[in-house]
Each structure stands twice: as structure tokens, then as C-alpha cells.
Amino acid sequence: MQDILLVTNTDSSEGFIKELLMNTSYGKIFTAYNYSDATHLLEVHKFDLVIINAPMRMELGDRLAKYAAQRTTTTILFIARESTHVQTKNQLTHFGVLCIKKPVAVKPFGQLIKIVENTRIKINAMERDHIEVLSMIDEIRAIDAAKWHLIADFNISESQATRTVDSYSYEKQITRLEAAAAILNGAIKQI
């Protein structure tokens, strides 16, 4: 992974995020504290990951998550307290934003980072092959959101989540995108 944009309300949050990213390789963490600074950075720099630690200084951060999802190919993580998480999860998931509830557990977060890294590898390969990524990003993000849902709810690995999405798609004879939507809507109750 290369550069990360962290949007948060305090400097102390940067240490918390760096601790979560301890076993991950990344270039640099850029920090922003408000919508304006974050959108400016998104316009002038390409990030592999945007982490929004809600709430931001002047607002929740959901507007920024939607902005980043609609205008970039970056993976967006939205970390929020339980009350905010419940309030925003369904809405943001439809934009392909990966929603995480505080307190963040290290093991599932590590699995989430594997999803992010695998997605970045796919996107970079598509860009090298001159494939239009923006037309496919919604599908990629929806599948990633379904994988994260499975990891968070059933405490499984990233590879198990990938196999679950693929096998559900195969069993139901539907596309991976349709399988992801079904999974996000609660189609899988147990593994």
C-alpha cells in the first residue's frame, strides 16, 4: 500500500490508527481534520486508503465518505462509535464504504487490510492494462463490503470471506455483485 489519508478530529487519533496499521506497509499518512482539507487532498493526491475516524471536527464524516466513494477509486474506511455506526452503515455501504464499529479489534482489522491490499493490487493491474476502473469500482467495492460484513459478523479470514461470496454466487447462479448485495442484505445467517 502507498499513501493513506486519515481524517479525524484530534492528533491523538493518528497514533491509534498507526497502531492498527502496525503490521501493514504503507508510504505516508496524510492527516486532515475537516471536509475542505480532505477533499482538497483527494483532488491533488492519489491515496490507496482513506480512513475517516468519525466524528470529524465540524461534522460526522459521512458526507466526506460519499464524496470520496463517488470521485475516487480509493478504498474508504469509516470508523465510528456504535450509535453512529448503526445510523450510517446501511447508507454508506451502498456507496462501497467499509464501516467499522469502535472499539476496533486488531484481528478483524488485519483481515480488512488484506481486503484493501488485494483490491489495490487489482485496481493497479487494471490501470496498467488501461481498463476503465471507474466503471467497475462499484462492483469491486460492493464485493469488498460483503467480505467485510462476513469477516465482522462471523469472525472469519479474508480468504474464507472470498470463498463464501464465490460459493454463494455459484450456488445461487448469480453474479458476484448480486451475491454481494444479497449478503449485505442478510442472506447468509451462519457459516
Side-chain angles (χ1 to χ4, degrees):
M1 211 173 357
Q2 292 298 316
D3 294 338
I4 297 171
L5 174 59
L6 170 61
V7 186
T8 188
N9 61 2
T10 64
D11 290 331
S12 62
S13 299
E14 188 172 349
F16 158 71
I17 299 298
K18 283 184 175 177
E19 191 175 314
L20 286 173
L21 296 168
M22 196 175 344
N23 296 325
T24 308
S25 63
Y26 56 87
K28 183 177 179 185
I29 294 181
F30 292 72
T31 306
Y33 300 101
N34 60 50
Y35 180 87
S36 177
D37 291 346
T39 56
H40 173 72
L41 284 169
L42 286 169
E43 294 295 325
V44 299
H45 191 81
K46 183 177 172 101
F47 294 98
D48 286 338
L49 178 62
V50 174
I51 301 173
I52 301 169
N53 186 24
M56 295 169 19
R57 284 191 178 164
M58 303 301 279
E59 64 180 281
L60 180 59
D62 56 331
R63 182 169 65 119
L64 176 61
K66 290 178 207 171
Y67 177 91
Q70 291 173 325
R71 289 181 173 78
T72 71
T73 59
T74 303
T75 299
I76 300 108
L77 305 183
F78 186 81
I79 304 173
R81 295 182 192 114
E82 187 168 357
S83 60
T84 306
H85 181 265
V86 169
Q87 171 188 345
T88 58
K89 182 182 177 194
N90 289 337
Q91 179 187 26
L92 292 179
T93 299
H94 290 294
F95 284 91
V97 175
L98 303 174
C99 298
I100 306 162
K101 184 172 35 172
K102 292 179 186 177
V104 180
V106 175
K107 184 180 175 189
F109 190 82
Q111 295 299 318
L112 179 58
I113 293 300
K114 285 183 184 179
I115 291 173
V116 171
E117 289 172 341
N118 289 339
T119 297
R120 182 50 43 200
I121 289 168
K122 273 188 245 176
I123 289 172
N124 287 344
M126 290 168 63
E127 287 173 342
R128 271 193 313 275
D129 295 339
H130 304 291
I131 296 172
E132 179 56 44
V133 177
L134 284 176
S135 64
M136 301 178 72
I137 197 67
D138 291 336
E139 179 175 344
I140 293 168
R141 286 180 175 157
I143 292 168
D144 285 353
K147 289 179 194 177
W148 171 241
H149 170 77
L150 293 169
I151 290 166
D153 286 2
F154 301 110
N155 196 24
I156 61 175
S157 70
E158 186 272 338
S159 58
Q160 289 172 303
T162 300
R163 285 193 302 272
T164 302
V165 171
D166 290 344
S167 74
Y168 187 83
S169 170
Y170 180 77
E171 287 172 14
K172 301 294 183 185
Q173 296 194 6
I174 56 178
T175 66
R176 290 181 82 219
L177 179 59
E178 293 168 327
I183 290 167
L184 287 169
N185 288 323
I188 295 181
K189 303 288 186 216
Q190 63 180 0
I191 293 184

